[in-house]
Amino acid sequence: MAGGGRTINVLNVAEKPSVAKAVAAILSRNQGLRVRDGRSRYNKIFEFDYAIRGQPCHMLMTSVTGHLMELDFEDRYRKWHSCDPADLYQAPVRKIVPEDKMDIKRTLDEEARRCQWLVLWLDCDREGENIAFEVIEVCRAVNHHLVLRRARFSALIDREIHQAVQNLVDPNQWFADAVDARQEIDLRIGASFTRFQTMLLKDRFCIDSATEDRNLVLSYGPCQFPTLGFIVERYWEIQAHEPEEFWTINFTHRSDEGIATFNWMRGHLFDYTCAVIIYEMCVQEPTATVTKVRQQEKLKYPPYPLSTIELEKRASRYFRMSSEQTMKVAEDLYQAGFISYPRTETDCFSVRTDLHAMVQEQQGHPVWGSYAQRLLDPGTGLWRNPSGGGHDDKAHPPIHPTSFLLGNQDGVKTTILYELVVRHFLACVSQPAVGAETTVEIDVAGELFSASGRVILARNYLDVYRFESWGGSVIPSYAVGQQFIPTTLTLDSGVTRPPLLSEADLLSCMDKAGIGTDATMHDHIKKLLDRFYATKDANTRFSPTNLGEALVMGYDDMGYELWKPNLRSTMEYDMKEVSIGNKSKAEVLANCLQQMKACFLDARVNKVKLLEAMSIFFERSNADEHHAAGEIVRQCGNCLESNMDGKFMVGCMAFPQCRNAVWLPGSVSEAIVTSNICNSCNPGPVYLIQFKFRRHEIPPGFDVNHWVSVVTESLHMQSGCIGGCDETLRQLIEICGTGSRNPGGRGATTTSNNVRQSDTRQRACIYCQQTGHSSGDCPSQFSGSRNAHSHGPNLQSGESSIPCTSCGTPCVLRIANTANNRGRKFYSCQSQECNFFLWEDDINNGTRGRSIPRGSASNPGRRGGRGRGGQTGGRGADTTFVSATGDPLSGRRCYVCGDPSHFANACPNRGT
DNA sequence: GCAAGGTC
């Protein structure tokens, strides 16, 4: 890029208008700088001449406003009912410029055509790099010959900017790839789960939100859900917490010099008798002897320079402003030029920053102007170069005032937030407060007590940072050996009580777990309120709503950590790997999406957990009448128990004692039990079922919608019957088999499979007495992934053999050796082809055996101390579980008080 | 009607 010659046109693009303006001003030194409008009213175009390494350039400097493009599914997948949500894991996606960014794109189109170089001035983080590639895509489309260069800068400071433009580098594809991967994963997970849970729950329950029910969306997102998780988890901790009364002894002493409060050095005791005995000893011998007097100088340091999260936390703590409101006000202040860029992770100033100039700006302020003057006066010794918190996003400095604002100009919130920014900045460059601390220890009847007092010797930064105080109480002076009698000696009680999560706590949790960015954390919090997942009280404390709690509970009962931050943390780790070239984008995408799809499919199989959790808090709606899992189809011929279990089988509710089952064709995609009764099948009543089949899995000539015409008293109804009269159903079972256990899963029952199945069709299965499969393949016995033995409980020893209840091969009784189930006996099949597994004690509880799920703990994780009911769940192939009684709530008890007679929603103690 | 990330 070196060398003189003809002037070339260089298109420069920054991430936001303010950066374009600042860079243009610095490079042009405000000499010959022209400004004109582009197609977008916000994004001006600056023009000036500049030489890059001796090459004369005509510079055109413009900007985008953040991302120029959006990722979305192709049109045919965008409607909610256009496809199965599971398809969204492989549905084609594309990046397009949305309508509201088209004017920026037009500007780039026009300007790029007449330029030879494109210099990218996007923020120097991963998102910035990704935006750089969006700009490249747009510009290259109209000008293939553009030379692409990237300017790297970490602050809008003269030297930094000149250095950046003289040392242009290549854009970093890895950084951009990491963001591409994140976008795609977020989109696919978010859309699939949101559609799934909204369509599953919205119409089945009377969710009394403030919104019009029609627009209710039960969204899922990899940031919003862990944020909700933090709130629910704390709420559960509070519910599980048993308030404990404790006792403590307090001792005060008043003298001419003042009063000292001595704290018991044991802190507090939970044992009342013990506390009383000690207290009585003190009362009988109340003379205190001073055993130790210690004096120390203590420093209290000012806070680090202000990052976004810290601004939000402090505004919440000091002014009870929501993080969302804080960011809105900060944005206004930034736009008006009063404070620096408000979205920054950086909490240390660059050594090149002219801090003195910033302080000088504040000298004229009527309230803190005199403090600023003192700071600048070397004679006061008040100045101190600020220390840093060790965070630097390499894109923006800490938030600081950029120009002088006299209060009360733009409403109260603006003024107080500006005041916080200024006072915080002035505090950062000030000396710490200095205090003299005195600690006195006394002995009363062998018990030790201590009191401390503090005298502030120099307030320093505390003079300007009025939001912080340093509790300075003065205590009388004491000497070792001195004796005195207490003024008061009391035995006091207290109760342990964990607090709800405040907004500042929540931000800390998110920050720690890497949920969201400084620019989006407040959005995630707001989203929880908008979606009616959580509420915030006047003290900025968060509680989950019934809806929020039910959703988290549902996933938790499945044993998934979809509501915990781990998923996001893992993703963040992978993104980091992509951004440094250790992993490829394709590899991370394939891996993550495969896992998430498996998780999604599993969650859908276990959707009954979500339904159960919702039914704890919400009434079922009328629309639910024909949709619920566990509907009765007919009386069981063997034992008079009955149940419509899941989509694919009609099984007896008395399983495993009774194994009577009717299996439906594998090509069934929907099965809804109607309230209509078959007129011909006996013994009745047999409720009719509306079937829908997958087109490509049934032969031509069969309708995907299968209803048998039945004339009832008042209407002409069409439904399928499992009572034996339904010829179409019988034929489809003959042709397609009962496919729930096909290794290929959905769609595997093809013509070629029928050849294999025709061999087994003639023999009746020993379990369900049906033809169409072998006993070893009987779908009435639960199965999921094969070869999963290695994931079962750790084996200690083989015990006596019994017949396997799944595939017929011998099964052994074993003893678990895991932390949660040590010593518990279970049956597991010896066959490598079968992964049947059943706890011995669950047989009596009525819980079914199940397959050991791949890659999962043998016993889903449980929250401690919530008095939850027995284990009724598990995972199987295309089936759902109910408890022995058919009551999904059996065995549960109230989370609040533990009483089995009611649930938390009806608990008289709830909310106290 | 869905995510999270930029930004006005």
Side-chain angles (χ1 to χ4, degrees):
Chain A
M1 270 201 183
R6 208 158 51 86
T7 299
I8 57 168
N9 290 328
V10 178
L11 177 60
N12 297 268
V13 182
E15 189 159 323
K16 42 191 161 282
S18 60
V19 172
K21 187 179 178 186
V23 171
I26 290 170
L27 292 182
S28 69
R29 298 194 160 87
N30 285 320
Q31 305 286 306
L33 179 63
R34 299 178 299 284
V35 190
R36 61 184 167 89
D37 285 334
R39 295 280 177 169
S40 152
R41 54 188 287 229
Y42 301 108
N43 306 81
K44 309 277 183 202
I45 303 164
F46 301 88
E47 290 191 60
F48 54 96
D49 293 320
Y50 190 81
I52 301 176
R53 297 205 163 192
Q55 164 70 58
C57 300
H58 180 66
M59 304 284 265
L60 295 142
M61 180 100 216
T62 188
S63 56
V64 288
T65 44
H67 278 287
L68 185 59
M69 297 178 156
E70 270 176 16
L71 187 73
D72 208 343
F73 296 106
E74 283 191 356
D75 281 345
R76 68 194 170 100
Y77 291 92
R78 285 169 71 172
K79 285 227 182 315
W80 278 40
H81 292 280
S82 65
C83 66
D84 181 336
D87 296 343
L88 297 177
Y89 286 89
Q90 59 274 325
V93 289
R94 56 171 186 195
K95 261 191 171 184
I96 53 161
V97 179
E99 201 44 51
D100 62 335
K101 296 288 173 72
M102 282 309 277
D103 46 5
I104 297 176
K105 179 182 178 294
R106 282 185 204 112
T107 301
L108 293 178
D109 284 348
E110 289 169 9
E111 304 301 330
R113 281 200 183 95
R114 58 194 188 96
C115 287
Q116 285 79 51
W117 290 6
L118 172 63
V119 178
L120 301 149
W121 291 85
L122 287 306
D123 291 357
C124 293
D125 52 22
R126 294 207 299 245
E127 295 295 334
E129 212 65 29
N130 189 271
I131 299 170
F133 279 87
E134 293 174 356
V135 172
I136 290 171
E137 191 180 325
V138 166
C139 294
R140 267 274 171 93
V142 296
N143 182 349
H144 300 292
H145 305 296
L146 271 180
V147 174
L148 308 175
R149 305 302 283 155
R150 177 78 159 103
R152 294 215 170 281
F153 59 105
S154 59
L156 292 170
I157 299 168
D158 288 29
R159 210 183 74 178
E160 189 87 18
I161 297 301
H162 284 289
Q163 231 170 40
V165 77
Q166 296 301 338
N167 296 285
L168 295 170
V169 295
D170 289 326
N172 184 335
Q173 183 74 56
W174 288 341
F175 266 45
D177 281 354
V179 172
D180 279 343
R182 181 206 44 80
Q183 288 179 341
E184 194 173 327
I185 292 168
D186 284 345
L187 175 66
R188 293 187 190 278
I189 296 176
S192 58
F193 273 94
T194 300
R195 289 183 192 182
F196 158 65
Q197 64 186 25
T198 304
M199 294 192 287
L200 176 70
L201 304 173
K202 189 178 95 168
D203 295 328
R204 293 186 192 217
F205 295 94
C206 307
I207 304 170
D208 48 348
S209 320
T211 181
E212 280 298 309
D213 199 44
R214 290 232 165 274
N215 297 326
L216 186 69
V217 172
L218 307 184
S219 63
Y220 176 90
C223 284
Q224 52 179 274
F225 245 59
T227 307
L228 173 62
F230 289 128
I231 295 171
V232 174
E233 198 161 38
R234 174 65 68 90
Y235 184 70
W236 281 347
E237 277 168 22
I238 292 168
Q239 289 197 336
H241 179 79
E242 288 180 22
E244 247 187 306
E245 197 169 13
F246 59 80
W247 285 267
T248 182
I249 303 173
N250 289 308
F251 184 116
T252 65
H253 176 233
R254 183 189 292 277
S255 70
D256 297 343
E257 290 178 66
I259 189 161
T261 300
F262 288 86
N263 298 314
W264 195 17
M265 288 178 74
R266 290 184 194 273
H268 49 253
L269 291 184
F270 290 100
D271 186 328
Y272 174 69
T273 314
C274 189
V276 166
I277 290 170
I278 295 172
Y279 175 68
E280 286 183 347
M281 278 161 46
C282 294
V283 170
Q284 279 167 14
E285 293 178 53
T287 306
T289 308
V290 177
T291 56
K292 217 181 266 178
V293 177
R294 196 173 56 235
Q295 282 183 319
Q296 270 182 307
E297 191 177 278
K298 283 272 173 77
L299 297 178
K300 183 175 171 64
Y301 282 93
Y304 296 135
L306 202 53
S307 64
T308 302
I309 295 166
E310 212 47 42
L311 175 71
E312 289 171 349
K313 279 156 73 168
R314 286 175 191 261
S316 171
R317 226 179 275 143
Y318 303 151
F319 316 130
R320 295 189 178 177
M321 279 171 73
S322 71
S323 50
E324 190 221 352
Q325 191 176 32
T326 298
M327 290 313 290
K328 193 178 175 308
V329 174
E331 179 67 29
D332 291 346
L333 283 166
Y334 164 66
Q335 291 299 333
F338 293 118
I339 64 170
S340 62
Y341 189 67
R343 290 179 279 275
T344 175
E345 291 172 37
T346 310
D347 58 8
C348 49
F349 280 105
S350 151
V351 286
R352 295 185 290 273
T353 313
D354 190 350
L355 299 168
H356 283 83
M358 298 177 189
V359 178
Q360 273 164 11
E361 186 89 36
Q362 301 296 330
Q363 284 185 102
H365 196 277
V367 181
W368 54 76
S370 58
Y371 185 87
Q373 286 165 23
R374 277 170 55 208
L375 259 177
L376 293 170
D377 178 359
T380 61
L382 186 56
W383 182 277
R384 165 180 157 276
N385 286 325
S387 53
H391 301 93
D392 188 352
D393 63 15
K394 306 280 185 194
H396 306 286
I399 303 167
H400 61 270
T402 49
S403 68
F404 184 76
L405 168 65
L406 205 58
N408 297 325
Q409 290 181 350
D410 287 309
V412 178
K413 296 281 190 227
T414 314
T415 308
I416 59 171
L417 203 71
Y418 179 74
E419 181 183 346
L420 171 59
V421 171
V422 176
R423 287 184 184 271
H424 194 101
F425 169 69
L426 295 174
C428 288
V429 293
S430 301
Q431 290 289 346
V434 186
E437 214 170 81
T438 305
T439 309
V440 179
E441 279 181 30
I442 56 171
D443 181 316
V444 182
E447 289 298 301
L448 295 180
F449 296 79
S450 81
S452 61
R454 187 185 300 120
V455 179
I456 298 180
L457 302 176
R459 286 184 54 82
N460 294 332
Y461 90 91
L462 288 175
D463 277 338
V464 73
Y465 208 56
R466 64 176 178 86
F467 316 109
E468 277 185 3
S469 61
W470 202 15
S473 61
V474 183
I475 58 170
S477 48
Y478 293 95
V480 174
Q482 182 185 341
Q483 291 194 319
F484 53 90
I485 300 290
T487 308
T488 64
L489 181 61
T490 54
L491 179 66
D492 302 314
S493 72
V495 172
T496 59
R497 184 173 297 164
L500 285 166
L501 215 55
S502 73
E503 186 147 5
D505 296 335
L506 189 54
L507 286 162
S508 296
C509 290
M510 295 170 75
D511 187 27
K512 215 169 145 190
I515 303 296
T517 68
D518 48 323
T520 60
M521 280 168 153
H522 67 275
D523 284 335
H524 301 313
I525 295 175
K526 181 170 183 291
K527 185 153 277 176
L528 300 186
L529 302 174
D530 291 346
R531 297 283 191 220
F532 307 101
Y533 290 169
T535 56
K536 184 167 75 167
D537 69 17
N539 292 319
T540 80
R541 306 274 173 185
F542 285 87
S543 308
T545 60
N546 286 341
L547 181 58
E549 187 180 357
L551 289 174
V552 170
M553 188 186 285
Y555 287 113
D556 188 49
D557 283 350
M558 291 180 198
Y560 298 143
E561 302 208 330
L562 287 169
W563 54 280
K564 291 198 171 177
N566 316 23
L567 174 65
R568 192 70 187 176
S569 307
T570 312
M571 270 172 62
E572 276 300 318
Y573 174 80
D574 277 345
M575 297 311 113
K576 180 87 189 165
E577 291 287 285
V578 172
S579 73
I580 55 177
N582 284 351
K583 288 185 182 175
S584 74
K585 172 172 91 174
E587 182 187 346
V588 164
L589 269 175
N591 226 323
C592 181
L593 291 175
Q594 188 208 349
Q595 284 178 32
M596 282 312 298
K597 186 179 181 184
C599 183
F600 175 82
L601 294 174
D602 237 21
R604 199 160 61 173
V605 167
N606 286 312
K607 67 184 181 197
V608 68
K609 295 290 178 194
L610 270 174
L611 296 169
E612 281 177 21
M614 285 291 287
S615 62
I616 291 176
F617 298 100
F618 298 99
E619 290 291 323
R620 297 230 179 207
S621 68
N622 293 335
D624 185 45
E625 272 176 18
H626 299 308
H627 289 84
E631 288 203 58
I632 289 170
V633 179
R634 69 174 300 179
Q635 295 285 298
C636 172
N638 285 1
C639 69
L640 305 178
E641 291 276 354
S642 58
N643 175 36
M644 165 67 194
D645 195 354
K647 285 183 183 175
F648 298 97
M649 72 169 279
V650 181
C652 177
M653 279 164 55
F655 187 97
Q657 284 80 8
C658 174
R659 297 181 176 280
N660 193 22
V662 177
W663 278 87
L664 306 174
S667 46
V668 169
S669 68
E670 277 180 37
I672 299 169
V673 183
T674 70
S675 55
N676 300 295
I677 296 162
C678 176
N679 290 334
S680 51
C681 286
N682 287 307
V686 180
Y687 290 94
L688 302 177
I689 302 172
Q690 284 187 15
F691 289 112
K692 188 164 188 171
F693 298 100
R694 286 183 279 270
R695 174 74 271 174
H696 60 287
E697 291 180 33
I698 57 172
F702 283 85
D703 197 336
V704 290
N705 296 303
H706 171 58
W707 299 304
V708 173
S709 297
V710 176
V711 180
T712 63
E713 274 177 21
S714 58
L715 78 164
H716 186 256
M717 191 63 207
Q718 296 183 307
S719 283
C721 178
I722 56 125
C725 67
D726 188 337
E727 183 57 23
T728 309
L729 194 60
R730 198 192 61 73
Q731 283 179 14
L732 280 172
I733 291 173
E734 274 286 299
I735 297 165
C736 304
T738 53
S740 77
R741 206 184 138 107
N742 282 321
R746 180 175 161 174
T749 316
T750 58
T751 318
S752 62
N753 270 358
N754 291 340
V755 177
R756 184 178 59 78
Q757 289 187 346
S758 65
D759 296 331
T760 58
R761 215 183 294 156
Q762 308 310 318
R763 291 194 304 271
C765 167
I766 61 167
Y767 294 113
C768 66
Q769 316 307 322
Q770 285 190 45
T771 56
H773 59 262
S774 71
S775 303
D777 264 352
C778 177
S780 74
Q781 314 303 321
F782 290 104
S783 174
S785 54
R786 290 170 184 268
N787 305 319
H789 275 290
S790 60
H791 300 292
N794 297 334
L795 303 186
Q796 202 174 56
S797 62
E799 300 287 327
S800 61
S801 288
I802 62 155
C804 171
T805 50
S806 174
C807 65
T809 46
C811 175
V812 288
L813 182 64
R814 292 173 159 145
I815 302 173
N817 193 25
T818 58
N820 288 338
N821 294 296
R822 189 162 287 123
R824 211 169 155 199
K825 291 181 181 170
F826 66 97
Y827 291 102
S828 93
C829 182
Q830 284 185 336
S831 164
Q832 292 301 306
E833 294 302 308
C834 171
N835 43 15
F836 181 79
F837 158 78
L838 177 62
W839 292 113
E840 187 194 49
D841 46 5
D842 275 348
I843 296 173
N844 299 329
N845 295 338
T847 301
R848 303 175 179 200
R850 62 195 151 159
S851 297
I852 303 166
R854 200 183 285 278
S856 151
S858 61
N859 193 9
R862 286 278 161 208
R863 295 178 294 277
R866 292 190 54 216
R868 302 292 303 273
Q871 173 187 318
T872 57
R875 304 200 283 183
D878 300 328
T879 51
T880 54
F881 286 85
V882 289
S883 66
T885 61
D887 171 9
L889 301 179
S890 75
R892 286 174 180 268
R893 39 183 83 228
C894 172
Y895 297 132
V896 178
C897 65
D899 188 337
S901 70
H902 63 259
F903 298 111
N905 59 333
C907 178
N909 300 322
R910 187 175 160 87
T912 58

Short mmCIF file of all heavy atoms in Angstrom, two decimals, chain A residues 65 101 195 223 335 341 520 524, chain B:
data_model
loop_
_atom_site.label_atom_id
_atom_site.label_comp_id
_atom_site.label_asym_id
_atom_site.label_seq_id
_atom_site.Cartn_x
_atom_site.Cartn_y
_atom_site.Cartn_z
N THR A 65 -25.29 1.55 11.53
CA THR A 65 -25.75 1.65 12.93
C THR A 65 -25.83 0.23 13.46
O THR A 65 -26.88 -0.40 13.45
CB THR A 65 -27.13 2.32 13.04
OG1 THR A 65 -27.96 1.78 12.02
CG2 THR A 65 -27.03 3.80 12.88
N LYS A 101 -32.80 -0.90 7.30
CA LYS A 101 -31.37 -0.63 7.06
C LYS A 101 -31.08 -0.41 5.57
O LYS A 101 -29.93 -0.23 5.18
CB LYS A 101 -30.52 -1.79 7.58
CG LYS A 101 -30.60 -2.02 9.09
CD LYS A 101 -29.87 -0.93 9.85
CE LYS A 101 -30.05 -1.02 11.35
NZ LYS A 101 -29.35 -2.09 11.97
N ARG A 195 -41.55 -21.62 19.63
CA ARG A 195 -42.74 -22.13 18.94
C ARG A 195 -43.31 -23.34 19.67
O ARG A 195 -44.51 -23.45 19.89
CB ARG A 195 -42.41 -22.51 17.50
CG ARG A 195 -42.14 -21.32 16.61
CD ARG A 195 -41.89 -21.76 15.19
NE ARG A 195 -41.36 -20.68 14.38
CZ ARG A 195 -41.08 -20.79 13.08
NH1 ARG A 195 -41.29 -21.93 12.46
NH2 ARG A 195 -40.59 -19.77 12.41
N CYS A 223 -30.43 -16.56 26.51
CA CYS A 223 -30.05 -15.58 27.53
C CYS A 223 -31.21 -15.32 28.48
O CYS A 223 -31.03 -15.23 29.69
CB CYS A 223 -29.61 -14.26 26.88
SG CYS A 223 -27.96 -14.35 26.17
N GLN A 335 -26.01 10.86 23.30
CA GLN A 335 -26.40 11.51 22.05
C GLN A 335 -26.27 13.02 22.13
O GLN A 335 -25.94 13.68 21.15
CB GLN A 335 -27.84 11.13 21.67
CG GLN A 335 -28.03 9.69 21.27
CD GLN A 335 -27.21 9.32 20.03
OE1 GLN A 335 -26.92 10.17 19.20
NE2 GLN A 335 -26.83 8.06 19.93
N TYR A 341 -19.42 7.14 25.43
CA TYR A 341 -20.22 6.00 24.97
C TYR A 341 -20.63 5.12 26.15
O TYR A 341 -19.79 4.67 26.92
CB TYR A 341 -19.38 5.20 23.97
CG TYR A 341 -20.15 4.13 23.26
CD1 TYR A 341 -21.16 4.47 22.38
CD2 TYR A 341 -19.86 2.80 23.48
CE1 TYR A 341 -21.86 3.49 21.73
CE2 TYR A 341 -20.57 1.81 22.83
CZ TYR A 341 -21.57 2.17 21.96
OH TYR A 341 -22.28 1.20 21.31
N THR A 520 -26.79 -5.56 26.25
CA THR A 520 -28.06 -6.29 26.15
C THR A 520 -28.62 -6.82 27.46
O THR A 520 -29.77 -7.25 27.50
CB THR A 520 -27.91 -7.51 25.21
OG1 THR A 520 -26.92 -8.39 25.76
CG2 THR A 520 -27.50 -7.10 23.83
N HIS A 524 -32.56 -8.29 28.42
CA HIS A 524 -33.00 -9.62 28.86
C HIS A 524 -33.86 -9.50 30.12
O HIS A 524 -34.85 -10.23 30.27
CB HIS A 524 -31.79 -10.51 29.13
CG HIS A 524 -30.92 -10.69 27.93
ND1 HIS A 524 -31.42 -11.00 26.68
CD2 HIS A 524 -29.58 -10.58 27.77
CE1 HIS A 524 -30.43 -11.09 25.81
NE2 HIS A 524 -29.31 -10.83 26.45
P DG B 1 -46.61 -11.36 12.96
OP1 DG B 1 -46.48 -9.94 12.64
OP2 DG B 1 -46.26 -12.34 11.94
"O5'" DG B 1 -45.76 -11.68 14.27
"C5'" DG B 1 -46.04 -11.00 15.48
"C4'" DG B 1 -45.77 -11.91 16.65
"O4'" DG B 1 -46.65 -13.07 16.57
"C3'" DG B 1 -44.35 -12.48 16.69
"O3'" DG B 1 -43.88 -12.39 18.01
"C2'" DG B 1 -44.51 -13.93 16.26
"C1'" DG B 1 -45.90 -14.25 16.77
N9 DG B 1 -46.57 -15.33 16.04
C8 DG B 1 -46.66 -15.50 14.70
N7 DG B 1 -47.35 -16.56 14.36
C5 DG B 1 -47.73 -17.11 15.57
C6 DG B 1 -48.48 -18.27 15.86
O6 DG B 1 -48.98 -19.08 15.07
N1 DG B 1 -48.64 -18.46 17.24
C2 DG B 1 -48.13 -17.63 18.19
N2 DG B 1 -48.39 -17.98 19.46
N3 DG B 1 -47.43 -16.55 17.94
C4 DG B 1 -47.27 -16.36 16.61
P DC B 2 -42.34 -11.97 18.23
OP1 DC B 2 -42.24 -11.38 19.58
OP2 DC B 2 -41.89 -11.24 17.05
"O5'" DC B 2 -41.56 -13.37 18.20
"C5'" DC B 2 -41.79 -14.30 19.20
"C4'" DC B 2 -40.78 -15.41 19.19
"O4'" DC B 2 -40.88 -16.18 17.97
"C3'" DC B 2 -39.33 -14.96 19.24
"O3'" DC B 2 -38.96 -14.88 20.60
"C2'" DC B 2 -38.58 -16.10 18.54
"C1'" DC B 2 -39.64 -16.78 17.68
N1 DC B 2 -39.45 -16.65 16.21
C2 DC B 2 -39.75 -17.74 15.40
O2 DC B 2 -40.15 -18.77 15.94
N3 DC B 2 -39.59 -17.64 14.07
C4 DC B 2 -39.16 -16.51 13.54
N4 DC B 2 -39.02 -16.47 12.22
C5 DC B 2 -38.86 -15.38 14.34
C6 DC B 2 -39.02 -15.48 15.67
P DA B 3 -37.78 -13.91 21.04
OP1 DA B 3 -37.85 -13.84 22.50
OP2 DA B 3 -37.84 -12.69 20.21
"O5'" DA B 3 -36.48 -14.70 20.59
"C5'" DA B 3 -36.18 -15.96 21.16
"C4'" DA B 3 -34.67 -16.13 21.19
"O4'" DA B 3 -34.19 -16.24 19.83
"C3'" DA B 3 -33.97 -14.92 21.81
"O3'" DA B 3 -33.10 -15.33 22.83
"C2'" DA B 3 -33.24 -14.24 20.67
"C1'" DA B 3 -33.17 -15.29 19.58
N9 DA B 3 -33.48 -14.67 18.28
C8 DA B 3 -34.68 -14.18 17.85
N7 DA B 3 -34.64 -13.67 16.65
C5 DA B 3 -33.33 -13.85 16.26
C6 DA B 3 -32.64 -13.51 15.08
N6 DA B 3 -33.22 -12.92 14.04
N1 DA B 3 -31.34 -13.83 15.02
C2 DA B 3 -30.76 -14.44 16.07
N3 DA B 3 -31.30 -14.80 17.23
C4 DA B 3 -32.60 -14.47 17.26
P DA B 4 -32.60 -14.32 23.90
OP1 DA B 4 -32.20 -15.08 25.08
OP2 DA B 4 -33.59 -13.24 24.00
"O5'" DA B 4 -31.30 -13.73 23.21
"C5'" DA B 4 -30.28 -14.63 22.80
"C4'" DA B 4 -29.16 -13.87 22.13
"O4'" DA B 4 -29.57 -13.48 20.80
"C3'" DA B 4 -28.76 -12.58 22.85
"O3'" DA B 4 -27.34 -12.55 22.87
"C2'" DA B 4 -29.35 -11.47 21.99
"C1'" DA B 4 -29.34 -12.10 20.61
N9 DA B 4 -30.38 -11.60 19.70
C8 DA B 4 -31.68 -11.29 19.99
N7 DA B 4 -32.36 -10.87 18.96
C5 DA B 4 -31.45 -10.91 17.92
C6 DA B 4 -31.55 -10.58 16.55
N6 DA B 4 -32.66 -10.12 15.99
N1 DA B 4 -30.44 -10.73 15.79
C2 DA B 4 -29.32 -11.18 16.36
N3 DA B 4 -29.10 -11.53 17.63
C4 DA B 4 -30.22 -11.36 18.37
P DG B 5 -26.52 -11.47 23.66
OP1 DG B 5 -25.31 -12.12 24.17
OP2 DG B 5 -27.44 -10.76 24.57
"O5'" DG B 5 -26.12 -10.44 22.52
"C5'" DG B 5 -25.18 -10.86 21.54
"C4'" DG B 5 -25.15 -9.88 20.41
"O4'" DG B 5 -26.40 -9.93 19.70
"C3'" DG B 5 -25.05 -8.41 20.84
"O3'" DG B 5 -23.69 -8.11 21.06
"C2'" DG B 5 -25.59 -7.70 19.60
"C1'" DG B 5 -26.51 -8.73 18.94
N9 DG B 5 -27.91 -8.36 18.93
C8 DG B 5 -28.80 -8.38 19.97
N7 DG B 5 -30.00 -8.01 19.61
C5 DG B 5 -29.88 -7.72 18.26
C6 DG B 5 -30.83 -7.26 17.33
O6 DG B 5 -32.03 -7.02 17.53
N1 DG B 5 -30.29 -7.09 16.07
C2 DG B 5 -28.99 -7.33 15.73
N2 DG B 5 -28.63 -7.12 14.47
N3 DG B 5 -28.08 -7.77 16.59
C4 DG B 5 -28.59 -7.94 17.82
P DG B 6 -23.27 -6.66 21.57
OP1 DG B 6 -21.96 -6.80 22.19
OP2 DG B 6 -24.40 -6.09 22.33
"O5'" DG B 6 -23.10 -5.84 20.24
"C5'" DG B 6 -23.69 -4.58 20.15
"C4'" DG B 6 -23.70 -4.19 18.71
"O4'" DG B 6 -24.63 -5.00 18.00
"C3'" DG B 6 -24.19 -2.76 18.51
"O3'" DG B 6 -23.07 -1.89 18.59
"C2'" DG B 6 -24.79 -2.82 17.12
"C1'" DG B 6 -25.40 -4.22 17.12
N9 DG B 6 -26.78 -4.25 17.58
C8 DG B 6 -27.25 -4.56 18.83
N7 DG B 6 -28.55 -4.48 18.93
C5 DG B 6 -28.96 -4.08 17.66
C6 DG B 6 -30.25 -3.83 17.14
O6 DG B 6 -31.33 -3.90 17.72
N1 DG B 6 -30.21 -3.44 15.80
C2 DG B 6 -29.07 -3.31 15.06
N2 DG B 6 -29.22 -2.94 13.79
N3 DG B 6 -27.86 -3.56 15.52
C4 DG B 6 -27.87 -3.94 16.82
P DT B 7 -23.09 -0.68 19.61
OP1 DT B 7 -21.77 -0.06 19.51
OP2 DT B 7 -23.59 -1.13 20.90
"O5'" DT B 7 -24.18 0.31 18.98
"C5'" DT B 7 -23.90 0.94 17.76
"C4'" DT B 7 -25.18 1.33 17.06
"O4'" DT B 7 -26.07 0.22 17.08
"C3'" DT B 7 -25.96 2.46 17.74
"O3'" DT B 7 -25.53 3.68 17.21
"C2'" DT B 7 -27.38 2.18 17.31
"C1'" DT B 7 -27.41 0.67 17.09
N1 DT B 7 -28.15 -0.06 18.14
C2 DT B 7 -29.51 -0.22 17.99
O2 DT B 7 -30.13 0.22 17.05
N3 DT B 7 -30.11 -0.91 19.00
C4 DT B 7 -29.51 -1.46 20.11
O4 DT B 7 -30.16 -2.07 20.93
C5 DT B 7 -28.08 -1.26 20.21
C7 DT B 7 -27.32 -1.81 21.39
C6 DT B 7 -27.48 -0.58 19.24
P DC B 8 -25.93 5.04 17.94
OP1 DC B 8 -25.23 6.10 17.21
OP2 DC B 8 -25.70 4.83 19.38
"O5'" DC B 8 -27.49 5.25 17.75
"C5'" DC B 8 -28.06 6.42 18.31
"C4'" DC B 8 -29.55 6.44 17.99
"O4'" DC B 8 -29.72 6.48 16.56
"C3'" DC B 8 -30.29 5.20 18.43
"O3'" DC B 8 -30.80 5.39 19.74
"C2'" DC B 8 -31.40 5.08 17.42
"C1'" DC B 8 -30.89 5.79 16.19
N1 DC B 8 -30.54 4.89 15.04
C2 DC B 8 -31.53 4.33 14.23
O2 DC B 8 -32.71 4.58 14.50
N3 DC B 8 -31.21 3.54 13.20
C4 DC B 8 -29.92 3.30 12.95
N4 DC B 8 -29.65 2.50 11.92
C5 DC B 8 -28.89 3.84 13.75
C6 DC B 8 -29.23 4.63 14.78
#
